[in-house]
Amino acid sequence: MYTNPHSNNLLLNLGIDSLNEMQESASIAIQNDANVLLLSPTGSGKTLAFLLPIFQLLQEDIKDVQCLILVPSRELALQIEQVWKKMGTDYKVNVCYGGHSIETEIKNLSNPPAILIGTPGRIADHIDRGTFTTDRITTLILDEFDKSLQLGFHEQMTFIISNLNKLNKRVLVSATSGIEIPRYTRITNPTVLDFIPSEEEKKNLSTKMVISKDKDKIDTLFHLICSLKSDAAIIFCNHRDAAERISDALNAKGIYATYYHGGMDQDERERALIQFRNGSVNYLVTTDLAARGLDIPEMNHVIHYHLPSKEDEFTHRNGRTARMLSSGTAYIIAHESEKKMDYLDYGMKVMNVENASSLPKPPEFQTIYISGGKKNKLNKIDIVGFFSQKGKLEKGDLGLIEVKDFISFAAVKSKKVKELLNAIRDEKMKGKKFKIEVARKVIKKEEE
């Protein structure tokens, strides 16, 4: 078993007792081998699997970037950053991605981090500008590199890697097997760690077909959700406008839903995920952007409103349920006019939901917005204390609290929200008056 006293402290900070088999194998291989290919399903803990050995490889006396982590999306970049910060090391980390202020990033990089996380386009831009030196980067991690290839980052990744002349360790991480490793990675004969389960091991996931009589499948989706006994679910569709339309239609029918896709502003995307994570919204309508790389709870139910064109994306979507030893169900809503997908067995069980019409219970929590965060010297303990003492909330009335740099969000039992807001209206937290209100739901731009 892989053990290290420093790593044990880091696990303690993360609230984890021990590593799983994949994480132990990855920790050993990444420390000892020059080229590693790690294949493991969504939700298995791949981020920690490479961050722990990176910590062991960092050198305190080097004040430049030592490890570069390239990712296909800003969500994944932020998630990795969050895990590293939770580990509680003394090493600085920075994250760079499109849509983030380049000036802020340049300022952050003037005091170089030990670990730099970013999307290929933005990292290539920084290398082109010379905002950080690549001379001391010895470790390169390509997380979800298959997704980066799908998104067409070949040119940027080729440029970046050509500027990393001191690399002695390359790690490719993916939830998809059978992908050809691009030549520009300069990886040959990697140590392969394949933890993707075989078909025999996927028995925890059941799939069911739901037939829609109408080409517009909204009513069928409504009845399916009503049949799930108020359980939360992720609903996948293929287009951004469809995600918004479906979410709006569900809300009009009395179902608490929100949407999430790549066309939204970063703060809107984050707000949607926070509300879904903390139980203020029980149904997330999304594109394949949410199929992997996001910090959201495991679901018992995944619904395919549209089927993706590729089997890999179907597999990644289903990875949101039936993880590890738990079970889950994937539902496919189908209309006779739709193209049949080669990867799907259409002989699966058909589920009739026509008679289901009892609305799911409304969410137990509402999200409360607070106009202060870490940079205002606020933390979770401050918020819990303030809401408990001044707001008269009891322990069970508070749910998930998330503190960002300049804002925070707290889940509060719906029945206690009005009483809380009235009680704290004129109160100060840590000597300062913050704006505290019910967080708005994500709505379309034209409605704002």
Side-chain angles (χ1 to χ4, degrees), residues 14 47 51 75-88 93 95 117 277 295 374 380 401-404:
L14 290 164
T47 300
L51 286 184
E75 278 79 12
L76 184 53
L78 291 165
Q79 184 179 317
I80 296 169
E81 179 196 36
Q82 186 178 26
V83 175
W84 181 263
K85 286 184 173 179
K86 279 184 181 176
M87 284 166 60
V93 63
V95 62
I117 309 163
R277 266 199 297 265
D295 180 20
K374 295 173 187 171
K380 289 183 183 180
I401 297 172
E402 300 197 32
V403 182
K404 305 298 179 183

Side-chain angles (χ1 to χ4, degrees), residues 218-226 250 253 255 356-357 359:
I218 286 290
D219 286 341
T220 306
L221 173 62
F222 170 77
H223 290 301
L224 172 57
I225 289 173
C226 289
L250 290 176
K253 290 175 177 287
I255 289 175
S357 56
L359 282 172

Side-chain angles (χ1 to χ4, degrees), residues 102 125 260-261 323 398:
I102 189 93
D125 188 2
Y260 176 85
H261 60 67
R323 294 183 187 174
L398 261 175

Side-chain angles (χ1 to χ4, degrees), residues 173-412:
V173 184
S174 175
T176 306
S177 56
I179 297 162
E180 187 175 344
I181 298 174
R183 290 179 66 181
Y184 60 72
T185 62
R186 303 175 189 173
I187 289 179
T188 54
N189 301 319
T191 300
V192 179
L193 305 175
D194 190 347
F195 286 87
I196 294 177
S198 65
E199 290 302 319
E200 278 296 304
E201 295 171 304
K202 292 179 183 175
K203 289 179 179 176
N204 288 345
L205 176 70
S206 61
T207 53
K208 296 180 181 179
M209 185 81 69
V210 181
I211 304 297
S212 175
K213 293 178 179 177
D214 302 319
K215 195 169 183 179
D216 185 340
K217 300 184 281 191
I218 286 290
D219 286 341
T220 306
L221 173 62
F222 170 77
H223 290 301
L224 172 57
I225 289 173
C226 289
S227 77
L228 301 182
K229 299 178 180 177
S230 300
D231 281 359
I234 300 180
I235 300 140
F236 284 103
C237 53
N238 289 346
H239 305 288
R240 296 171 177 180
D241 58 345
E244 296 188 15
R245 180 179 67 84
I246 294 164
S247 174
D248 291 346
L250 290 176
N251 278 289
K253 290 175 177 287
I255 289 175
Y256 291 77
T258 192
Y259 59 84
Y260 176 85
H261 60 67
M264 299 163 67
D265 292 339
Q266 178 64 26
D267 62 338
E268 287 185 327
R269 283 154 71 169
E270 202 161 310
R271 191 179 299 245
L273 290 180
I274 286 169
Q275 291 176 332
F276 185 58
R277 266 199 297 265
N278 69 22
S280 299
V281 173
N282 288 333
Y283 304 95
L284 183 71
V285 189
T286 181
T287 58
D288 285 331
L289 185 64
R292 48 183 167 161
L294 289 188
D295 180 20
I296 50 179
E298 181 180 339
M299 297 286 104
N300 290 327
H301 311 285
V302 167
I303 300 171
H304 300 272
Y305 190 87
H306 299 134
L307 283 169
S309 57
K310 295 182 179 179
E311 183 175 8
D312 281 349
E313 289 308 321
F314 182 70
T315 301
H316 290 310
R317 289 179 178 187
N318 292 339
R320 285 292 166 198
T321 188
R323 294 183 187 174
M324 310 305 280
L325 299 175
S326 59
S327 59
T329 306
Y331 306 87
I332 293 113
I333 303 179
H335 183 259
E336 60 181 14
S337 67
E338 292 176 320
K339 176 187 173 186
K340 296 282 193 293
M341 295 299 176
D342 294 338
Y343 60 78
L344 207 59
D345 176 9
Y346 283 84
M348 72 182 74
K349 181 180 178 181
V350 175
M351 181 178 175
N352 188 337
V353 298
E354 285 182 10
N355 297 324
S357 56
S358 296
L359 282 172
K361 294 174 186 173
E364 191 177 1
F365 290 94
Q366 285 189 51
T367 300
I368 300 300
Y369 163 85
I370 303 158
S371 66
K374 295 173 187 171
K375 303 289 187 183
N376 310 101
K377 309 298 184 187
L378 281 187
N379 58 40
K380 289 183 183 180
I381 295 170
D382 297 325
I383 295 169
V384 170
F386 181 66
F387 280 12
S388 302
Q389 294 161 22
K390 302 293 185 180
K392 310 300 182 190
L393 292 188
E394 297 175 6
K395 188 176 180 182
D397 297 332
L398 261 175
L400 186 67
I401 297 172
E402 300 197 32
V403 182
K404 305 298 179 183
D405 282 347
F406 296 102
I407 57 175
S408 301
F409 297 93
V412 174

